[in-house]
Amino acid sequence: MLDPILYLKVFAVGGLICLIGQVLIITTKITPARILVAFVLAGVLLEGIGVYKYITEFAGAGAIVPIVGFGAAIAKGAIEMGAADGIMGVLAGGLVATAAGIAAAVGFAFVFALIFKPRTKKC
């Protein structure tokens, strides 16, 4: 059965993450690329101190899908493989944990590059 409260939590947390990014874009001179990097690092930090798992338990996809979730996945993979395989696990863990998402992004980008004609935006 569908749980409307869960959908509200997912929408609220995912929306809050997007709201923070939009407010940073509008009110500061920070470039979107730097905001993206800050969000990834925030995910790494939150996962590293053990807080992000509680956020994902509360909001599910609302916390996993945004770019903050990508940073948390990198950190989680490094922590888990580091515990099992030492320093090589720390180095490879983030890539192993996010390989499917990265491969999908590259694959879809390639397909769309074949389908659509790239052009520069006219100001």
Side-chain angles (χ1 to χ4, degrees), residues 73-113:
I74 292 171
K76 185 175 183 181
I79 292 167
E80 288 175 356
M81 285 192 67
D85 299 332
I87 190 70
M88 290 307 292
V90 171
L91 297 174
L95 292 174
V96 170
T98 59
I102 293 170
V106 170
F108 284 121
F110 178 73
V111 169
F112 286 121

Side-chain angles (χ1 to χ4, degrees), residues 3-14 58:
D3 182 14
I5 301 299
L6 177 61
Y7 284 103
L8 279 172
K9 289 188 228 179
V10 169
F11 182 77
V13 172
F58 174 77

Side-chain angles (χ1 to χ4, degrees), residues 38-66:
F39 275 29
V40 171
L41 290 175
V44 169
L45 178 69
L46 290 171
E47 182 66 38
I49 62 175
V51 173
Y52 206 73
K53 67 180 175 182
Y54 299 112
I55 298 170
T56 57
E57 287 173 5
F58 174 77
I64 296 171
V65 172

